[in-house]
Amino acid sequence: MKRFFVFFAALMMGATIWAQQVFTVVYATSDDGFVNVRQRPSTKAPVLTKLYMFSHGLGSGVLRGQSGNWSKVSVGNITGWAYSKYVGTQDWYQGQGHDKLVALRDKTPIYREDFKDGSTDLLFSTVSKGTIIADQYEENEEYYILTTAHDNLYIKKTDVRVVSAF
Protein backbone atom coordinates (compact mmCIF):
# COMPACT_ATOMS: atom_id res chain seq x y z
CA MET A 1 0.00 0.00 0.00
CA LYS A 2 2.86 2.37 0.82
CA ARG A 3 4.34 1.80 -2.67
CA PHE A 4 0.99 2.77 -4.21
CA PHE A 5 0.97 6.10 -2.37
CA VAL A 6 4.58 6.85 -3.32
CA PHE A 7 3.80 6.00 -6.96
CA PHE A 8 0.61 8.10 -6.88
CA ALA A 9 2.47 11.09 -5.35
CA ALA A 10 5.19 10.86 -8.02
CA LEU A 11 2.54 10.60 -10.74
CA MET A 12 0.75 13.70 -9.45
CA MET A 13 4.00 15.68 -9.27
CA GLY A 14 4.82 14.66 -12.84
CA ALA A 15 1.34 15.68 -14.01
CA THR A 16 1.78 19.08 -12.35
CA ILE A 17 5.05 19.61 -14.21
CA TRP A 18 3.52 18.68 -17.56
CA ALA A 19 0.58 21.01 -16.90
CA GLN A 20 2.99 23.93 -16.58
CA GLN A 21 4.00 25.93 -19.63
CA VAL A 22 7.51 25.37 -20.94
CA PHE A 23 9.59 28.22 -22.42
CA THR A 24 9.99 27.35 -26.10
CA VAL A 25 11.68 29.53 -28.72
CA VAL A 26 10.32 29.33 -32.29
CA TYR A 27 11.68 30.07 -35.75
CA ALA A 28 10.55 29.76 -39.38
CA THR A 29 11.42 26.62 -41.34
CA SER A 30 9.99 27.70 -44.71
CA ASP A 31 12.10 27.92 -47.86
CA ASP A 32 11.63 31.69 -48.12
CA GLY A 33 13.08 32.34 -44.63
CA PHE A 34 9.97 33.51 -42.78
CA VAL A 35 6.41 32.62 -41.87
CA ASN A 36 3.61 35.14 -41.51
CA VAL A 37 2.25 35.78 -38.02
CA ARG A 38 -1.46 36.44 -38.37
CA GLN A 39 -4.15 38.02 -36.22
CA ARG A 40 -6.15 34.77 -36.08
CA PRO A 41 -5.38 31.14 -36.97
CA SER A 42 -6.48 31.53 -40.60
CA THR A 43 -4.70 32.17 -43.89
CA LYS A 44 -7.30 34.88 -44.53
CA ALA A 45 -6.49 36.78 -41.32
CA PRO A 46 -4.37 39.96 -41.54
CA VAL A 47 -0.58 39.56 -41.21
CA LEU A 48 0.76 41.26 -38.04
CA THR A 49 4.47 40.53 -38.48
CA LYS A 50 6.87 37.82 -39.65
CA LEU A 51 8.67 35.06 -37.77
CA TYR A 52 12.16 34.62 -39.24
CA MET A 53 14.54 31.66 -39.46
CA PHE A 54 17.05 30.48 -36.91
CA SER A 55 19.76 33.14 -36.60
CA HIS A 56 23.05 32.65 -34.76
CA GLY A 57 21.66 29.53 -33.13
CA LEU A 58 18.58 31.25 -31.75
CA GLY A 59 14.95 31.40 -32.83
CA SER A 60 13.22 34.75 -33.23
CA GLY A 61 9.98 34.26 -31.27
CA VAL A 62 8.35 32.44 -28.36
CA LEU A 63 5.68 29.73 -28.47
CA ARG A 64 2.59 30.73 -26.46
CA GLY A 65 0.29 27.84 -27.35
CA GLN A 66 -1.11 25.67 -30.12
CA SER A 67 -4.50 25.03 -31.67
CA GLY A 68 -4.91 22.51 -34.44
CA ASN A 69 -2.43 23.28 -37.24
CA TRP A 70 -1.58 26.70 -35.80
CA SER A 71 0.97 27.92 -33.26
CA LYS A 72 0.36 31.00 -31.13
CA VAL A 73 3.66 32.91 -31.10
CA SER A 74 5.11 36.16 -29.82
CA VAL A 75 7.64 38.06 -31.91
CA GLY A 76 8.86 41.04 -29.91
CA ASN A 77 5.72 42.49 -28.34
CA ILE A 78 3.35 41.18 -31.05
CA THR A 79 1.41 37.96 -30.49
CA GLY A 80 -0.40 36.15 -33.26
CA TRP A 81 -0.72 32.84 -35.12
CA ALA A 82 1.70 31.07 -37.48
CA TYR A 83 1.04 27.92 -39.50
CA SER A 84 2.73 25.12 -37.50
CA LYS A 85 4.04 23.29 -40.57
CA TYR A 86 6.56 26.13 -41.02
CA VAL A 87 7.47 26.64 -37.35
CA GLY A 88 10.47 24.97 -35.70
CA THR A 89 11.00 24.85 -31.94
CA GLN A 90 13.95 25.10 -29.57
CA ASP A 91 13.86 24.71 -25.81
CA TRP A 92 16.14 24.13 -22.88
CA TYR A 93 13.80 21.87 -20.90
CA GLN A 94 14.32 18.22 -21.67
CA GLY A 95 12.57 16.68 -18.64
CA GLN A 96 15.57 14.47 -17.93
CA GLY A 97 15.49 14.81 -14.16
CA HIS A 98 17.85 17.77 -13.85
CA ASP A 99 17.20 20.77 -11.61
CA LYS A 100 15.02 23.22 -13.51
CA LEU A 101 14.57 26.99 -13.60
CA VAL A 102 11.00 28.17 -12.96
CA ALA A 103 9.78 31.76 -13.39
CA LEU A 104 8.91 33.47 -10.09
CA ARG A 105 6.53 36.13 -11.40
CA ASP A 106 4.45 37.16 -14.39
CA LYS A 107 6.47 38.86 -17.10
CA THR A 108 9.75 37.30 -15.94
CA PRO A 109 12.31 38.81 -18.35
CA ILE A 110 14.68 36.79 -20.50
CA TYR A 111 17.47 38.82 -22.06
CA ARG A 112 19.41 38.48 -25.34
CA GLU A 113 22.72 39.51 -23.84
CA ASP A 114 24.42 40.13 -20.55
CA PHE A 115 22.04 42.65 -18.99
CA LYS A 116 24.44 44.41 -16.63
CA ASP A 117 24.02 47.75 -18.40
CA GLY A 118 20.27 47.68 -17.60
CA SER A 119 19.17 48.33 -21.20
CA THR A 120 15.64 47.19 -21.98
CA ASP A 121 16.69 46.86 -25.64
CA LEU A 122 18.29 43.59 -24.59
CA LEU A 123 14.95 42.01 -23.64
CA PHE A 124 14.23 38.88 -25.71
CA SER A 125 10.88 37.97 -24.18
CA THR A 126 8.97 37.52 -20.96
CA VAL A 127 7.34 34.41 -19.51
CA SER A 128 4.49 33.84 -17.07
CA LYS A 129 4.89 32.88 -13.44
CA GLY A 130 5.44 29.14 -13.09
CA THR A 131 6.84 28.67 -16.60
CA ILE A 132 9.57 26.04 -16.74
CA ILE A 133 12.42 27.84 -18.47
CA ALA A 134 15.17 25.22 -18.58
CA ASP A 135 16.84 22.18 -17.11
CA GLN A 136 19.89 22.72 -19.33
CA TYR A 137 21.73 25.89 -18.41
CA GLU A 138 25.00 27.34 -17.24
CA GLU A 139 25.43 29.42 -14.13
CA ASN A 140 27.27 32.66 -13.51
CA GLU A 141 27.40 34.88 -10.41
CA GLU A 142 24.28 36.92 -11.22
CA TYR A 143 22.43 34.97 -13.89
CA TYR A 144 21.66 31.67 -15.61
CA ILE A 145 22.68 31.28 -19.25
CA LEU A 146 20.84 29.37 -21.97
CA THR A 147 23.53 28.58 -24.53
CA THR A 148 23.01 28.41 -28.32
CA ALA A 149 25.43 27.99 -31.20
CA HIS A 150 26.50 31.67 -31.22
CA ASP A 151 24.20 33.66 -28.93
CA ASN A 152 22.97 33.20 -25.40
CA LEU A 153 19.89 34.06 -23.39
CA TYR A 154 20.25 35.33 -19.83
CA ILE A 155 17.92 35.10 -16.83
CA LYS A 156 18.62 36.93 -13.59
CA LYS A 157 18.95 34.53 -10.67
CA THR A 158 16.54 36.70 -8.67
CA ASP A 159 13.78 36.14 -11.28
CA VAL A 160 13.65 32.34 -11.05
CA ARG A 161 13.74 29.55 -8.53
CA VAL A 162 15.63 26.33 -8.96
CA VAL A 163 13.41 23.30 -8.49
CA SER A 164 15.23 20.10 -7.67
CA ALA A 165 14.46 16.99 -9.69
CA PHE A 166 12.39 14.42 -7.82
mmCIF file of all heavy atoms in Angstrom, residues 101 109 111 113-118 137-145 153-160 162:
data_model
loop_
_atom_site.group_PDB
_atom_site.id
_atom_site.type_symbol
_atom_site.label_atom_id
_atom_site.label_comp_id
_atom_site.label_asym_id
_atom_site.label_seq_id
_atom_site.Cartn_x
_atom_site.Cartn_y
_atom_site.Cartn_z
ATOM 1 N N LEU A 101 14.827 25.585 -13.907
ATOM 2 C CA LEU A 101 14.573 26.986 -13.599
ATOM 3 C C LEU A 101 13.094 27.262 -13.841
ATOM 4 O O LEU A 101 12.578 26.965 -14.920
ATOM 5 C CB LEU A 101 15.406 27.901 -14.491
ATOM 6 C CG LEU A 101 16.910 27.676 -14.504
ATOM 7 C CD1 LEU A 101 17.580 28.642 -15.482
ATOM 8 C CD2 LEU A 101 17.485 27.840 -13.112
ATOM 9 N N PRO A 109 11.547 38.473 -17.146
ATOM 10 C CA PRO A 109 12.311 38.809 -18.352
ATOM 11 C C PRO A 109 13.408 37.796 -18.673
ATOM 12 O O PRO A 109 14.062 37.256 -17.789
ATOM 13 C CB PRO A 109 12.919 40.175 -18.007
ATOM 14 C CG PRO A 109 12.992 40.197 -16.521
ATOM 15 C CD PRO A 109 11.875 39.335 -16.010
ATOM 16 N N TYR A 111 16.703 37.840 -21.305
ATOM 17 C CA TYR A 111 17.475 38.818 -22.061
ATOM 18 C C TYR A 111 18.293 38.164 -23.167
ATOM 19 O O TYR A 111 18.701 37.019 -23.052
ATOM 20 C CB TYR A 111 18.417 39.582 -21.128
ATOM 21 C CG TYR A 111 17.688 40.346 -20.057
ATOM 22 C CD1 TYR A 111 17.428 39.778 -18.821
ATOM 23 C CD2 TYR A 111 17.234 41.640 -20.295
ATOM 24 C CE1 TYR A 111 16.737 40.482 -17.842
ATOM 25 C CE2 TYR A 111 16.549 42.345 -19.330
ATOM 26 C CZ TYR A 111 16.300 41.757 -18.104
ATOM 27 O OH TYR A 111 15.612 42.459 -17.149
ATOM 28 N N GLU A 113 21.297 39.361 -24.160
ATOM 29 C CA GLU A 113 22.717 39.505 -23.845
ATOM 30 C C GLU A 113 22.879 39.739 -22.360
ATOM 31 O O GLU A 113 21.906 39.913 -21.639
ATOM 32 C CB GLU A 113 23.311 40.690 -24.613
ATOM 33 C CG GLU A 113 23.257 40.539 -26.113
ATOM 34 C CD GLU A 113 23.814 41.751 -26.824
ATOM 35 O OE1 GLU A 113 24.676 42.434 -26.247
ATOM 36 O OE2 GLU A 113 23.375 42.003 -27.943
ATOM 37 N N ASP A 114 24.125 39.800 -21.938
ATOM 38 C CA ASP A 114 24.424 40.128 -20.553
ATOM 39 C C ASP A 114 23.761 41.469 -20.249
ATOM 40 O O ASP A 114 23.993 42.455 -20.922
ATOM 41 C CB ASP A 114 25.940 40.218 -20.381
ATOM 42 C CG ASP A 114 26.361 40.443 -18.954
ATOM 43 O OD1 ASP A 114 25.537 40.929 -18.161
ATOM 44 O OD2 ASP A 114 27.512 40.146 -18.641
ATOM 45 N N PHE A 115 22.917 41.499 -19.251
ATOM 46 C CA PHE A 115 22.043 42.651 -18.995
ATOM 47 C C PHE A 115 22.606 43.621 -17.977
ATOM 48 O O PHE A 115 21.897 44.458 -17.458
ATOM 49 C CB PHE A 115 20.683 42.164 -18.515
ATOM 50 C CG PHE A 115 20.800 41.152 -17.418
ATOM 51 C CD1 PHE A 115 20.980 41.533 -16.107
ATOM 52 C CD2 PHE A 115 20.760 39.810 -17.716
ATOM 53 C CE1 PHE A 115 21.120 40.609 -15.106
ATOM 54 C CE2 PHE A 115 20.892 38.864 -16.706
ATOM 55 C CZ PHE A 115 21.067 39.274 -15.401
ATOM 56 N N LYS A 116 23.871 43.573 -17.679
ATOM 57 C CA LYS A 116 24.443 44.414 -16.625
ATOM 58 C C LYS A 116 24.280 45.902 -16.878
ATOM 59 O O LYS A 116 24.221 46.682 -15.955
ATOM 60 C CB LYS A 116 25.925 44.083 -16.421
ATOM 61 C CG LYS A 116 26.122 42.752 -15.752
ATOM 62 C CD LYS A 116 27.582 42.474 -15.513
ATOM 63 C CE LYS A 116 27.728 41.113 -14.855
ATOM 64 N NZ LYS A 116 29.098 40.761 -14.611
ATOM 65 N N ASP A 117 24.174 46.309 -18.147
ATOM 66 C CA ASP A 117 24.025 47.746 -18.400
ATOM 67 C C ASP A 117 22.595 48.233 -18.172
ATOM 68 O O ASP A 117 22.319 49.411 -18.232
ATOM 69 C CB ASP A 117 24.516 48.113 -19.802
ATOM 70 C CG ASP A 117 23.606 47.614 -20.906
ATOM 71 O OD1 ASP A 117 22.576 46.980 -20.623
ATOM 72 O OD2 ASP A 117 23.935 47.866 -22.078
ATOM 73 N N GLY A 118 21.643 47.310 -17.929
ATOM 74 C CA GLY A 118 20.269 47.685 -17.600
ATOM 75 C C GLY A 118 19.420 48.090 -18.787
ATOM 76 O O GLY A 118 18.300 48.536 -18.629
ATOM 77 N N TYR A 137 21.292 24.506 -18.513
ATOM 78 C CA TYR A 137 21.726 25.893 -18.408
ATOM 79 C C TYR A 137 23.099 25.938 -17.759
ATOM 80 O O TYR A 137 23.550 24.966 -17.151
ATOM 81 C CB TYR A 137 20.738 26.725 -17.585
ATOM 82 C CG TYR A 137 20.443 26.134 -16.223
ATOM 83 C CD1 TYR A 137 21.221 26.468 -15.115
ATOM 84 C CD2 TYR A 137 19.398 25.235 -16.041
ATOM 85 C CE1 TYR A 137 20.969 25.924 -13.871
ATOM 86 C CE2 TYR A 137 19.139 24.691 -14.793
ATOM 87 C CZ TYR A 137 19.922 25.031 -13.715
ATOM 88 O OH TYR A 137 19.670 24.477 -12.482
ATOM 89 N N GLU A 138 23.740 27.080 -17.924
ATOM 90 C CA GLU A 138 24.999 27.343 -17.237
ATOM 91 C C GLU A 138 24.725 28.390 -16.173
ATOM 92 O O GLU A 138 23.728 29.107 -16.235
ATOM 93 C CB GLU A 138 26.041 27.847 -18.236
ATOM 94 C CG GLU A 138 26.406 26.807 -19.284
ATOM 95 C CD GLU A 138 27.362 27.356 -20.323
ATOM 96 O OE1 GLU A 138 28.156 28.271 -19.983
ATOM 97 O OE2 GLU A 138 27.302 26.885 -21.465
ATOM 98 N N GLU A 139 25.628 28.488 -15.235
ATOM 99 C CA GLU A 139 25.425 29.417 -14.130
ATOM 100 C C GLU A 139 26.599 30.377 -14.029
ATOM 101 O O GLU A 139 27.745 29.989 -14.202
ATOM 102 C CB GLU A 139 25.291 28.611 -12.841
ATOM 103 C CG GLU A 139 24.886 29.406 -11.659
ATOM 104 C CD GLU A 139 24.603 28.534 -10.446
ATOM 105 O OE1 GLU A 139 24.516 27.297 -10.574
ATOM 106 O OE2 GLU A 139 24.477 29.118 -9.361
ATOM 107 N N ASN A 140 26.275 31.649 -13.764
ATOM 108 C CA ASN A 140 27.271 32.662 -13.510
ATOM 109 C C ASN A 140 26.913 33.291 -12.166
ATOM 110 O O ASN A 140 25.912 32.919 -11.560
ATOM 111 C CB ASN A 140 27.274 33.700 -14.636
ATOM 112 C CG ASN A 140 28.537 34.524 -14.656
ATOM 113 O OD1 ASN A 140 28.972 35.022 -13.638
ATOM 114 N ND2 ASN A 140 29.111 34.673 -15.835
ATOM 115 N N GLU A 141 27.656 34.273 -11.711
ATOM 116 C CA GLU A 141 27.399 34.877 -10.411
ATOM 117 C C GLU A 141 25.994 35.462 -10.286
ATOM 118 O O GLU A 141 25.327 35.274 -9.298
ATOM 119 C CB GLU A 141 28.432 35.970 -10.114
ATOM 120 C CG GLU A 141 29.812 35.437 -9.856
ATOM 121 C CD GLU A 141 30.812 36.545 -9.585
ATOM 122 O OE1 GLU A 141 30.392 37.658 -9.223
ATOM 123 O OE2 GLU A 141 32.008 36.287 -9.744
ATOM 124 N N GLU A 142 25.542 36.188 -11.310
ATOM 125 C CA GLU A 142 24.275 36.917 -11.218
ATOM 126 C C GLU A 142 23.157 36.343 -12.068
ATOM 127 O O GLU A 142 22.011 36.754 -11.925
ATOM 128 C CB GLU A 142 24.494 38.374 -11.636
ATOM 129 C CG GLU A 142 25.491 39.097 -10.770
ATOM 130 C CD GLU A 142 25.748 40.506 -11.290
ATOM 131 O OE1 GLU A 142 24.780 41.175 -11.676
ATOM 132 O OE2 GLU A 142 26.915 40.900 -11.315
ATOM 133 N N TYR A 143 23.453 35.413 -12.969
ATOM 134 C CA TYR A 143 22.435 34.965 -13.888
ATOM 135 C C TYR A 143 22.657 33.529 -14.340
ATOM 136 O O TYR A 143 23.711 32.940 -14.145
ATOM 137 C CB TYR A 143 22.360 35.894 -15.098
ATOM 138 C CG TYR A 143 23.706 36.253 -15.683
ATOM 139 C CD1 TYR A 143 24.320 35.437 -16.617
ATOM 140 C CD2 TYR A 143 24.363 37.419 -15.302
ATOM 141 C CE1 TYR A 143 25.554 35.760 -17.151
ATOM 142 C CE2 TYR A 143 25.605 37.748 -15.830
ATOM 143 C CZ TYR A 143 26.190 36.915 -16.751
ATOM 144 O OH TYR A 143 27.413 37.228 -17.284
ATOM 145 N N TYR A 144 21.590 32.970 -14.953
ATOM 146 C CA TYR A 144 21.659 31.672 -15.609
ATOM 147 C C TYR A 144 21.733 31.938 -17.112
ATOM 148 O O TYR A 144 21.142 32.894 -17.609
ATOM 149 C CB TYR A 144 20.428 30.831 -15.289
ATOM 150 C CG TYR A 144 20.333 30.488 -13.823
ATOM 151 C CD1 TYR A 144 19.433 31.141 -12.997
ATOM 152 C CD2 TYR A 144 21.155 29.505 -13.274
ATOM 153 C CE1 TYR A 144 19.347 30.825 -11.655
ATOM 154 C CE2 TYR A 144 21.077 29.188 -11.922
ATOM 155 C CZ TYR A 144 20.171 29.853 -11.119
ATOM 156 O OH TYR A 144 20.098 29.535 -9.791
ATOM 157 N N ILE A 145 22.458 31.082 -17.826
ATOM 158 C CA ILE A 145 22.685 31.283 -19.254
ATOM 159 C C ILE A 145 22.134 30.089 -20.026
ATOM 160 O O ILE A 145 22.446 28.939 -19.721
ATOM 161 C CB ILE A 145 24.188 31.422 -19.562
ATOM 162 C CG1 ILE A 145 24.819 32.514 -18.692
ATOM 163 C CG2 ILE A 145 24.411 31.701 -21.047
ATOM 164 C CD1 ILE A 145 26.330 32.489 -18.685
ATOM 165 N N LEU A 153 20.960 33.360 -24.091
ATOM 166 C CA LEU A 153 19.886 34.058 -23.392
ATOM 167 C C LEU A 153 20.250 34.060 -21.918
ATOM 168 O O LEU A 153 20.854 33.112 -21.419
ATOM 169 C CB LEU A 153 18.543 33.358 -23.617
ATOM 170 C CG LEU A 153 18.006 33.388 -25.037
ATOM 171 C CD1 LEU A 153 16.690 32.610 -25.125
ATOM 172 C CD2 LEU A 153 17.815 34.806 -25.538
ATOM 173 N N TYR A 154 19.876 35.145 -21.231
ATOM 174 C CA TYR A 154 20.252 35.330 -19.829
ATOM 175 C C TYR A 154 19.009 35.541 -18.980
ATOM 176 O O TYR A 154 18.095 36.262 -19.371
ATOM 177 C CB TYR A 154 21.157 36.556 -19.684
ATOM 178 C CG TYR A 154 22.471 36.408 -20.411
ATOM 179 C CD1 TYR A 154 22.564 36.654 -21.770
ATOM 180 C CD2 TYR A 154 23.608 36.020 -19.721
ATOM 181 C CE1 TYR A 154 23.778 36.515 -22.436
ATOM 182 C CE2 TYR A 154 24.817 35.882 -20.381
ATOM 183 C CZ TYR A 154 24.896 36.126 -21.731
ATOM 184 O OH TYR A 154 26.095 35.984 -22.382
ATOM 185 N N ILE A 155 19.011 34.926 -17.791
ATOM 186 C CA ILE A 155 17.923 35.098 -16.833
ATOM 187 C C ILE A 155 18.540 35.449 -15.491
ATOM 188 O O ILE A 155 19.434 34.741 -14.998
ATOM 189 C CB ILE A 155 17.092 33.809 -16.681
ATOM 190 C CG1 ILE A 155 16.526 33.372 -18.044
ATOM 191 C CG2 ILE A 155 15.952 34.005 -15.699
ATOM 192 C CD1 ILE A 155 17.137 32.135 -18.557
ATOM 193 N N LYS A 156 18.101 36.544 -14.904
ATOM 194 C CA LYS A 156 18.617 36.934 -13.589
ATOM 195 C C LYS A 156 18.252 35.862 -12.559
ATOM 196 O O LYS A 156 17.127 35.368 -12.541
ATOM 197 C CB LYS A 156 18.024 38.264 -13.148
ATOM 198 C CG LYS A 156 18.503 39.442 -13.943
ATOM 199 C CD LYS A 156 17.875 40.726 -13.405
ATOM 200 C CE LYS A 156 18.275 41.915 -14.230
ATOM 201 N NZ LYS A 156 17.644 43.162 -13.750
ATOM 202 N N LYS A 157 19.191 35.536 -11.702
ATOM 203 C CA LYS A 157 18.949 34.535 -10.666
ATOM 204 C C LYS A 157 17.795 34.933 -9.750
ATOM 205 O O LYS A 157 17.068 34.083 -9.269
ATOM 206 C CB LYS A 157 20.216 34.296 -9.848
ATOM 207 C CG LYS A 157 21.246 33.485 -10.565
ATOM 208 C CD LYS A 157 22.418 33.169 -9.660
ATOM 209 C CE LYS A 157 23.365 32.215 -10.332
ATOM 210 N NZ LYS A 157 24.483 31.862 -9.462
ATOM 211 N N THR A 158 17.614 36.222 -9.561
ATOM 212 C CA THR A 158 16.539 36.696 -8.665
ATOM 213 C C THR A 158 15.161 36.559 -9.287
ATOM 214 O O THR A 158 14.163 36.698 -8.589
ATOM 215 C CB THR A 158 16.769 38.169 -8.279
ATOM 216 O OG1 THR A 158 16.880 38.944 -9.482
ATOM 217 C CG2 THR A 158 18.040 38.327 -7.450
ATOM 218 N N ASP A 159 15.079 36.257 -10.595
ATOM 219 C CA ASP A 159 13.783 36.144 -11.279
ATOM 220 C C ASP A 159 13.265 34.717 -11.385
ATOM 221 O O ASP A 159 12.172 34.493 -11.894
ATOM 222 C CB ASP A 159 13.882 36.733 -12.691
ATOM 223 C CG ASP A 159 13.988 38.254 -12.672
ATOM 224 O OD1 ASP A 159 13.558 38.864 -11.691
ATOM 225 O OD2 ASP A 159 14.515 38.812 -13.662
ATOM 226 N N VAL A 160 14.054 33.748 -10.946
ATOM 227 C CA VAL A 160 13.655 32.339 -11.046
ATOM 228 C C VAL A 160 13.954 31.611 -9.749
ATOM 229 O O VAL A 160 14.715 32.092 -8.908
ATOM 230 C CB VAL A 160 14.367 31.621 -12.209
ATOM 231 C CG1 VAL A 160 13.966 32.196 -13.554
ATOM 232 C CG2 VAL A 160 15.867 31.654 -12.034
ATOM 233 N N VAL A 162 15.126 27.603 -8.493
ATOM 234 C CA VAL A 162 15.633 26.326 -8.964
ATOM 235 C C VAL A 162 14.839 25.243 -8.249
ATOM 236 O O VAL A 162 14.784 25.211 -7.019
ATOM 237 C CB VAL A 162 17.138 26.176 -8.670
ATOM 238 C CG1 VAL A 162 17.634 24.799 -9.108
ATOM 239 C CG2 VAL A 162 17.931 27.269 -9.370
#
